[in-house]
């Protein structure tokens, strides 16, 4: 098989995975939509979901930017436009059962653009490793929910100290590009947690958002997201993320409110991923 034909095969394979992903996402949205009571979707709530979905979709560009930095560090000259397109067209595949098809799709599609298969695989490994390490640090934000005596000030201070030590260590080893990657992952996770927080806030009555509760709630969401990420076979962490959020937040909110917030936040992130996919599709 010639190099040209191989690229065509890889491109078609990646496109097929992306198409299957769209179908699975449509199925997921309908399934989530059916779980929400009919009187829930007011114009105000629908507007909020669309706004938050747009914010979440735009935040995916941060992930694509981080992946590009990893690829450049592996001596792959890839532009922001191509990196965003490849990342966005394959990101929906995380909803396909198996939780690996987004990486497989990215591998095929990036190779069809002429990038090294070995470098792409390395970038995927580094991405997962750094995402897990960054997400795990949010345990320090979440601990006040489990142990009220552990003040959020302690947790946040430890978080900052650890982040500074890691940054100094990476800079000393002349790996400043990894600092940029980790900073992007941190920003994406904070945005994701804030999106969930906004959905929860729109549902729960008479709740005052204070820093003492806001940061632990964001931390709880990130830890639940992380558990879904590392669970084999769980498409986009479906089930795992929801279970952990209900378990962690049950002492503070009514269970019906948590369940509804979890379902609506899942709808929001799925729609946001669709927005990002459409944006990536427009990049040529």
């Amino acid at each position: 098989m010639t190099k040209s034909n191989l690229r065509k095969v890889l491109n078609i394979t990646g496109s097929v995975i992306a198409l299957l992903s769209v179908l699975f996402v449509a199925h997921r949205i309908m399934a989530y939509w059916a779980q929400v009571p009919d009187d829930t979707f007011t114009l105000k709530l629908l507007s909020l979901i669309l706004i938050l979905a747009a914010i979440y979709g735009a935040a995916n560009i941060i992930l694509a930017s981080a992946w590009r930095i990893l690829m450049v560090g592996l001596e792959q000259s890839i532009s922001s436009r191509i990196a965003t397109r490849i990342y966005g067209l394959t990101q929906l595949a995380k909803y396909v059962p198996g939780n690996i098809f987004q990486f497989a799709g990215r591998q095929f599609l990036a190779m069809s653009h002429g990038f090294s298969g070995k470098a792409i695989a390395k970038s995927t490994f580094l991405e997962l490793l750094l995402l897990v390490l960054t997400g795990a640090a949010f345990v320090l934000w979440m601990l006040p929910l489990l142990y009220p005596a552990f003040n959020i000030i302690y947790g946040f201070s430890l978080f900052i100290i650890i982040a500074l030590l890691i940054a100094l260590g990476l800079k000393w080893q002349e790996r400043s590009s990894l600092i940029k990657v980790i900073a992007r992952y941190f920003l994406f996770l904070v945005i994701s947690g804030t999106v969930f927080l906004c959905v929860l806030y729109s549902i729960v009555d008479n709740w005052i958002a204070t820093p003492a509760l806001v940061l632990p709630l964001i931390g709880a969401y990130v830890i639940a997201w992380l558990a879904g990420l590392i669970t084999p076979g769980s498409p986009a962490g479906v089930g795992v993320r929801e279970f952990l959020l209900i378990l962690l937040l049950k002492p503070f909110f009514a269970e019906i409110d948590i369940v509804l917030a979890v379902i609506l936040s899942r709808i929001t992130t799925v729609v946001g991923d669709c927005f990002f996919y459409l944006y990536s599709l427009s990049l040529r």
Side-chain angles (χ1 to χ4, degrees):
M1 184 182 291
T2 64
K3 192 173 182 179
S4 177
N5 288 335
L6 178 60
R7 286 188 179 183
K8 286 181 181 179
V9 170
L10 292 171
N11 192 36
I12 291 171
T13 305
S15 299
V16 168
I17 292 176
L19 178 60
L20 288 174
S21 307
V22 173
L23 297 177
F24 272 101
V25 165
H27 173 72
R28 286 289 177 195
I29 290 177
M30 288 188 289
Y32 290 133
W33 195 276
Q35 296 178 51
V36 182
D38 295 334
D39 58 347
T40 302
F41 289 108
T42 62
L43 181 60
K44 182 180 179 181
L45 183 59
L46 283 172
S47 300
L48 177 65
I49 288 175
L50 287 175
I51 292 171
L52 292 176
I55 293 171
Y56 181 82
N60 275 275
I61 298 175
I62 300 171
L63 292 180
S65 173
W67 178 63
R68 176 183 173 272
I69 294 173
L70 291 175
M71 286 286 283
V72 170
L74 294 168
E75 300 180 350
Q76 301 299 300
S77 181
I78 182 171
S79 68
S80 297
R81 194 179 188 86
I82 293 176
T84 303
R85 177 176 170 80
I86 293 173
Y87 202 96
L89 292 182
T90 56
Q91 188 72 341
L92 283 183
K94 64 185 179 182
Y95 295 102
V96 178
N99 210 18
I100 61 168
F101 288 96
Q102 67 271 36
F103 306 120
R106 192 194 310 169
Q107 184 80 22
F108 290 133
L109 208 53
M111 285 177 67
S112 74
H113 281 72
F115 297 110
S116 164
K118 190 175 181 180
I120 300 163
K122 282 184 178 179
S123 71
T124 298
F125 171 77
L126 287 171
E127 178 183 51
L128 284 171
L129 177 64
L130 294 175
L131 270 172
V132 168
L133 293 176
T134 306
F138 280 84
V139 167
L140 296 171
W141 288 27
M142 183 202 67
L143 277 179
L145 296 180
L146 301 177
Y147 306 101
F150 188 83
N151 194 291
I152 185 57
I153 296 176
Y154 301 150
F156 191 73
S157 300
L158 279 173
F159 183 90
I160 295 297
I161 292 170
I162 291 172
L164 288 174
L165 289 174
I166 291 173
L168 289 171
L170 290 173
K171 192 169 183 180
W172 180 66
Q173 293 183 356
E174 297 182 353
R175 295 179 179 270
S176 298
S177 61
L178 292 183
I179 299 176
K180 297 177 183 178
V181 172
I182 293 172
R184 281 163 171 76
Y185 289 155
F186 168 75
L187 181 58
F188 171 79
L189 293 175
V190 169
I191 292 173
S192 300
T194 304
V195 166
F196 171 74
L197 201 66
C198 290
V199 173
L200 181 65
Y201 186 77
S202 69
I203 294 170
V204 179
D205 296 324
N206 302 320
W207 174 50
I208 300 175
T210 61
L213 189 56
V214 165
L215 294 182
L217 287 176
I218 291 176
Y221 178 86
V222 173
I223 294 303
W225 170 88
L226 179 60
L229 176 70
I230 63 177
T231 301
S234 175
V238 171
V240 178
R241 187 190 307 177
E242 287 78 357
F243 170 75
L244 273 179
L245 279 173
I246 292 170
L247 191 67
L248 290 169
L249 304 186
K250 194 174 179 180
F252 305 93
F253 303 98
E255 189 169 344
I256 183 63
D257 290 336
I258 302 171
V259 171
L260 189 56
V262 166
I263 294 172
L264 289 176
S265 68
R266 179 63 81 168
I267 291 174
T268 303
T269 55
V270 173
V271 173
D273 284 328
C274 290
F275 285 162
F276 181 51
Y277 173 83
L278 293 174
Y279 170 72
S280 303
L281 201 60
S282 70
L283 298 175
R284 295 292 180 183

